[in-house]
Amino acid sequence: MNRIFATKAGSNVYRLRIPWRPLSNDAAPLLSSQNAGNPEKESEAKQYDIAIVGGGMVGLALACSLASRPLTRHLNVAIIDSNPALGRKHFIKKEDLPDPRVSTITPATISFFKDIGAWQFVEQHRHAYFDKMQVWDYTGLSYAKYNARDADKEVLGCVVENKVLLSSLLSRVQETDLPKKIYPSRLNSMSILPNSSSSEVDSTLSMTALFTHGRLAKLELEDGNSLYAKLVVGADGGKSRVRELAGFRTTGWNYSQNAIICTVEHDVENHCAWQRFLPSGPLALLPIGDKFSNIVWTMSPKESSEFKSITEDNFLKAVNRALDYGYGPHPTPSILGSSDLFSWLKGGISKSANDCFEIPPKVIKLASERMAFPLSLRHANDYASKRVALIGDAAHTVHPLAGQGVNLGFGDASTLSSVISEGIAVGADIGEVSLLKKYEADRKPANVMMMAVLDGFQKAYSVDFGPLNILRAAAFHGAHHISPLKKSIISYASGETRLPLFA
Amino acid sequence: MASSMFLAQRRWFLSLPRNLSNARFFSALPSEHPVSVSGPQNNVGPESNKFEKASSAPSSLKEPELAKWDSEGPFKPLHKMNPTRLAFLRSTLCRHFRKDPLSARPFEGLRFIDVGCGGGILSEPLARMGATVTGIDAIEKNIKIARLHANLDPTTSTIEYCCTTAEKLVEEQRKFDAVIALEVIEHVADAAEFCKSLSALTAHEGATVVSTINRSMRSYATAIVAAEYLLQWLPKGTHQWSSFLTPEELTMILKRAGVDVKEMAGFVYNPLTGRWSLSDDISVNFIAYGTKEK
């Protein structure tokens, strides 16, 4: 499993992915002579315990989580991200219109944020809790309404703009006394050598020597800086450079769908999350607060470029139509029988089972530009190898239809920091594969399960076929009326249980 | 060249009686030479010379030494068990020395000795936890491997490794705050004498920790039949079932040596998850923590 990774073109000694063999004595003097020629560069490079490549929401969440644990709060952390916002304080103004890039935060993530001390910062900015959800499709055969009270909770989730999450995590990390340094640059190359022992007994403990013997990873940045780290965490998103450099293989496919996102305004407050499955993809309307809502409309790439370019008025009309009478009728309860049919399965009164179908509030104004991006599913075959671990979108990207993506990433950050803490408790080297594999063994099954569920939904809803439509409607109906099922769906979507239905 | 050396070592090993192992395999390291049996002792001479010759050529040193520290290699079961042993040590010793269990280096300022340290797989984590560690082993090759590996990390390069025995250190009147002898006592000839040495090395108000394998039907089935023959985790003949100690016997000989056993725990292996965990089940592997009475 020990591999040799690609390095900058200038260094010719090591090549990509050759089978592991013990370093012979020939290589060591060659390397030391190379470095002997650059004494200044060597003194510039610094050593860190953990280098987090990618200072996005998930990367910063990992840093906050490490800062909040007693065993890891002394670790030296480097954060590598070229985003200039990380160098600024308070880059959000209260009067800003909501940014269309938002995330739906599950209750499990909210409690994670509270644990790491970042939620207090989120509450200072715009955020919207919602406790109701209505899901239906274009066939008009059925609908399902979820209420947080069905599962004895207060909220189903909270919708927060990504820039608010980022700034809250950044504020929290700046406030803690975790030894950290932000490198405003991009990762150029990374190398990790296989383990070997020094043949001298009194070896020097210079960083170069440690790197040569596989004890440290060496990172080179685009601005010329280099640094060494015991563990490199790839939190750099769906097109992760760390994942590419470390040679992780991925499985996945592109959905032939794009998503259009934008912010819209209503003339009434909206506290419910609405999602309607249309023939070419779901349309979701999520409350952001202050009478604003966020739209995520999934459709084919051709339609998405069309909708992006039509006038604002026409776009708003199309949205209202899609949420209301367009594509198919409203669902009425009488089509598949009333709730009495399932009364014997109810197992308790589901409060929202008697809620009628509602039409979402009308959209009156467009409050931001429309953005479109392609959707895909991607999953790294492994999350960890020697001295490297992947978290967040670098490890997995999913369909946005259930708002789960970033929540899986926060789950990764939380688990990785707890695994690192356990490793320090037993005096382990934090870059050891056996320790990092524990993180993978914990997160992979949960992530794969969620991806399978979401992918299943995506496939089930992209086919317009009579019997399948009826099946889907029956599923809606069942979820709406059978309260143990509804409870377990809400629990799973809230991030409280790891497996649906088997809790 | 390296592989032929390796093969030569294997064949040689099979012809030897137990105990005198090939230092490749950690658990067969006696920290004491068996005093009563003179035959095997003589064999140590030429065999260890062979080792010296082997170790002088750097390339042939690499393979067996790296195998010891390769957590996916032949020592995988030991690497898997290590975190569990360390968790027990951390919890009992933090309590004993009244140190903060949430500190990253709770054993700062304490002197520990790892008797029968092998390649240093226990010594290094203890050093990372802040202890001043001395590791001893009767086999020179193990000490060499341990030193080379420990030098690669600034936190572990301070470990003092000596090729010596517990008795010799007692003669030198060395004292340690905690004396730790894991998976060693089942390989010594006289367990009672060994415990007396461990006790003599323990300082006033210090701690002694011993781990071994129980002598029970279950341990015969798991540690001998399964581990040596079926799963081949250990070479055949590594352990002699009759020389295992029951927890009661161990408690008694420690008591006679002046160490009061305060806590005992077992290690249980879950074949489905491949993980070891601490439990109350002391029927196979168990560990005992005791304090020096006066």
Side-chain angles (χ1 to χ4, degrees):
Chain A
M1 195 43 212
N2 292 325
R3 297 226 204 118
I4 306 176
F5 303 103
T7 60
K8 253 164 95 156
S11 143
N12 301 320
V13 181
Y14 302 98
R15 273 180 219 92
L16 181 65
R17 281 192 222 146
I18 63 178
W20 178 87
R21 65 186 196 292
L23 262 189
S24 66
N25 283 333
D26 309 314
L30 185 63
L31 191 68
S32 50
S33 66
Q34 253 194 348
N35 282 310
N38 306 326
E40 297 121 32
K41 242 195 155 168
E42 203 179 302
S43 59
E44 276 170 18
K46 285 178 73 174
Q47 184 181 330
Y48 294 90
D49 294 306
I50 302 183
I52 303 178
V53 181
M57 296 187 281
V58 178
L60 289 184
L62 176 65
C64 287
S65 187
L66 290 171
S68 67
R69 286 177 194 273
L71 286 170
T72 54
R73 56 157 44 116
H74 63 283
L75 291 178
N76 224 334
V77 173
I79 300 173
I80 299 168
D81 195 315
S82 54
N83 182 359
L86 292 182
R88 285 187 246 131
K89 288 192 164 197
H90 313 300
F91 50 86
I92 299 180
K93 295 195 270 294
K94 289 251 177 330
E95 56 277 8
D96 277 348
L97 285 175
D99 196 85
R101 282 161 298 199
V102 306
S103 299
T104 315
I105 303 296
T106 58
T109 305
I110 296 178
S111 53
F112 168 59
F113 266 64
K114 285 186 180 153
D115 287 340
I116 62 180
W119 192 250
Q120 46 176 326
F121 295 101
V122 173
E123 286 179 326
Q124 292 167 8
H125 296 102
R126 189 185 294 120
H127 61 288
Y129 289 104
F130 63 94
D131 56 353
K132 294 195 289 284
M133 190 153 86
Q134 177 176 297
V135 188
W136 73 114
D137 68 359
Y138 62 94
T139 58
L141 291 173
S142 189
Y143 68 97
K145 270 188 98 84
Y146 298 93
N147 195 310
R149 279 175 282 125
D150 295 332
D152 305 317
K153 294 142 78 65
E154 282 175 21
V155 294
L156 286 176
C158 184
V159 183
V160 189
E161 291 157 77
N162 287 355
K163 67 182 191 194
V164 168
L165 288 171
L166 192 68
S167 113
S168 311
L169 288 166
L170 184 63
S171 306
R172 174 59 185 157
V173 126
Q174 306 281 27
E175 174 183 84
T176 62
D177 44 12
L178 178 79
K180 58 202 168 283
K181 180 156 159 72
I182 298 182
Y183 282 87
S185 178
R186 256 196 250 265
L187 181 67
N188 193 358
S189 72
M190 174 175 82
S191 48
I192 300 171
L193 298 174
N195 275 342
S196 68
S197 290
S198 151
S199 42
E200 315 113 40
V201 175
D202 291 315
S203 61
T204 53
L205 297 170
S206 72
M207 290 188 284
T208 330
L210 291 173
F211 161 64
T212 319
H213 295 292
R215 288 291 174 281
L216 293 174
K218 182 171 182 186
L219 297 149
E220 271 157 31
L221 308 182
E222 271 175 9
D223 61 1
N225 279 327
S226 346
L227 49 118
Y228 292 93
K230 287 190 190 151
L231 171 64
V232 179
V233 176
D236 44 351
K239 297 193 185 67
S240 168
R241 181 105 174 103
V242 172
R243 187 180 68 203
E244 183 194 323
L245 287 173
F248 286 104
R249 279 194 287 267
T250 60
T251 312
W253 44 86
N254 292 326
Y255 293 119
S256 50
Q257 289 177 321
N258 284 4
I260 289 195
I261 54 173
C262 60
T263 312
V264 294
E265 207 176 333
H266 309 282
D267 49 14
V268 292
E269 292 275 354
N270 176 19
H271 290 293
C272 179
W274 311 89
Q275 177 145 293
R276 189 179 192 202
F277 286 92
L278 301 172
S280 56
L283 166 59
L285 186 74
L286 303 167
I288 319 183
D290 303 333
K291 297 194 185 156
F292 289 105
S293 285
N294 179 267
I295 290 206
V296 181
W297 196 349
T298 308
M299 56 184 69
S300 69
K302 205 157 87 44
E303 283 179 320
S304 78
S305 47
E306 212 182 283
F307 276 104
K308 217 176 140 194
S309 48
I310 57 177
T311 62
E312 268 190 37
D313 275 340
N314 285 340
F315 180 73
L316 292 175
K317 279 205 195 96
V319 169
N320 281 325
R321 192 176 151 258
L323 286 173
D324 197 348
Y325 54 84
Y327 301 97
H330 289 167
T332 46
S334 57
I335 300 222
L336 278 181
S338 66
S339 46
D340 293 339
L341 191 65
F342 289 106
S343 57
W344 57 277
L345 275 174
K346 262 197 199 167
I349 300 170
S350 154
K351 296 182 174 68
S352 56
N354 293 324
D355 282 353
C356 295
F357 173 79
E358 278 174 48
I359 305 171
K362 286 246 173 308
V363 169
I364 55 171
K365 211 163 84 144
L366 192 62
S368 79
E369 55 163 309
R370 289 160 270 172
M371 297 183 187
F373 54 93
L375 301 177
S376 61
L377 176 142
R378 201 147 299 275
H379 187 249
N381 293 353
D382 292 299
Y383 291 179
S385 74
K386 182 161 168 262
R387 305 211 175 277
V388 181
L390 300 177
I391 57 175
D393 279 0
H396 43 75
T397 53
V398 299
H399 199 279
L401 66 81
Q404 292 297 330
V406 79
N407 295 294
L408 294 179
F410 288 131
D412 290 349
S414 167
T415 303
L416 182 60
S417 92
S418 113
V419 163
I420 291 176
S421 173
E422 280 166 19
I424 295 201
V426 291
D429 175 1
I430 56 178
E432 262 169 26
V433 185
S434 48
L435 185 70
L436 299 175
K437 286 291 177 189
K438 271 198 222 166
Y439 151 70
E440 183 182 314
D442 190 83
R443 288 305 297 171
K444 220 202 239 179
N447 288 342
V448 169
M449 172 67 74
M450 176 63 82
M451 288 170 66
V453 166
L454 296 179
D455 196 55
F457 270 116
Q458 194 271 341
K459 301 238 166 354
Y461 282 97
S462 42
V463 181
D464 183 18
F465 179 52
L468 189 58
N469 292 354
I470 307 252
L471 260 179
R472 289 200 305 245
F476 268 133
H477 211 71
H480 183 62
H481 290 290
I482 304 175
S483 76
L485 179 61
K486 187 181 272 194
K487 247 194 211 169
S488 113
I489 291 176
I490 293 179
S491 277
Y492 183 57
S494 304
E496 279 162 24
T497 51
R498 284 160 56 88
L499 301 169
L501 302 179
F502 300 119
Chain B
M1 183 186 51
S3 51
S4 62
M5 270 299 197
F6 166 69
L7 285 172
Q9 287 165 17
R10 273 205 101 136
R11 267 184 277 127
W12 151 81
F13 164 71
L14 286 175
S15 65
L16 259 195
R18 55 130 189 149
N19 273 11
L20 279 189
S21 46
N22 183 347
R24 275 197 83 207
F25 300 101
F26 81 95
S27 61
L29 308 172
S31 64
E32 300 274 290
H33 289 305
V35 174
S36 49
V37 186
S38 56
Q41 203 170 8
N42 289 340
N43 286 349
V44 174
E47 285 0 301
S48 60
N49 285 343
K50 206 173 188 171
F51 275 138
E52 295 309 311
K53 282 206 203 94
S55 60
S56 60
S59 54
S60 58
L61 181 62
K62 301 282 190 214
E63 195 164 326
E65 131 210 346
L66 288 167
K68 237 192 164 95
W69 271 98
D70 179 5
S71 60
E72 298 294 316
F75 287 90
K76 190 167 167 174
L78 177 64
H79 281 266
K80 284 240 150 113
M81 197 172 20
N82 210 29
T84 321
R85 311 192 295 182
L86 285 161
F88 179 83
L89 284 173
R90 190 193 173 94
S91 128
T92 46
L93 295 177
C94 274
R95 238 176 302 131
H96 177 89
F97 293 111
R98 280 182 269 276
K99 299 286 184 184
D100 177 15
L102 293 178
S103 151
R105 292 172 64 92
F107 300 142
E108 200 76 58
L110 295 172
R111 302 158 298 166
F112 284 14
I113 179 169
D114 180 8
V115 181
C117 62
I121 191 176
L122 188 71
S123 306
E124 288 195 14
L126 290 173
R128 286 203 194 95
M129 288 196 241
T132 310
V133 180
T134 304
I136 66 168
D137 201 280
I139 299 185
E140 178 67 40
K141 183 150 180 249
N142 290 336
I143 297 294
K144 275 214 174 79
I145 296 172
R147 249 193 226 119
L148 288 177
H149 195 270
N151 274 339
L152 294 174
D153 186 345
T155 41
T156 56
S157 57
T158 51
I159 300 176
E160 181 198 352
Y161 282 115
C162 303
C163 179
T164 176
T165 62
E167 272 74 31
K168 289 215 192 78
L169 287 187
V170 171
E171 278 166 30
E172 291 171 29
Q173 301 205 330
R174 297 276 306 262
K175 292 279 186 205
F176 298 91
D177 298 303
V179 174
I180 303 169
L182 302 192
E183 315 294 319
V184 179
I185 197 169
E186 62 261 27
H187 299 284
V188 304
D190 188 344
E193 282 302 314
F194 182 63
C195 284
K196 287 214 178 83
S197 307
L198 294 182
S199 169
L201 287 173
T202 314
H204 175 57
E205 286 179 3
T208 312
V209 185
V210 176
S211 90
T212 184
I213 307 181
N214 197 347
R215 189 180 67 248
S216 64
M217 281 288 99
R218 252 191 87 191
S219 75
Y220 187 78
T222 41
I224 309 282
V225 177
E228 290 181 14
Y229 292 85
L230 299 178
L231 300 171
Q232 307 211 318
W233 283 355
L234 304 169
K236 301 188 182 57
T238 306
H239 291 125
Q240 199 71 3
W241 186 79
S242 53
S243 60
F244 286 166
L245 292 170
T246 64
E248 297 79 20
E249 284 165 1
L250 180 65
T251 310
M252 202 165 61
I253 55 177
L254 280 172
K255 181 101 181 140
R256 287 215 197 110
V259 173
D260 212 11
V261 171
K262 291 276 187 327
E263 273 177 54
M264 225 184 251
F267 297 126
V268 170
Y269 182 69
N270 181 345
L272 295 174
T273 58
R275 293 213 197 130
W276 288 87
S277 49
L278 277 175
S279 96
D280 291 326
D281 178 2
I282 51 176
S283 59
V284 186
N285 293 74
F286 71 97
I287 186 167
Y289 145 74
T291 54
K292 188 95 178 277
E293 274 166 1
K294 51 167 174 54

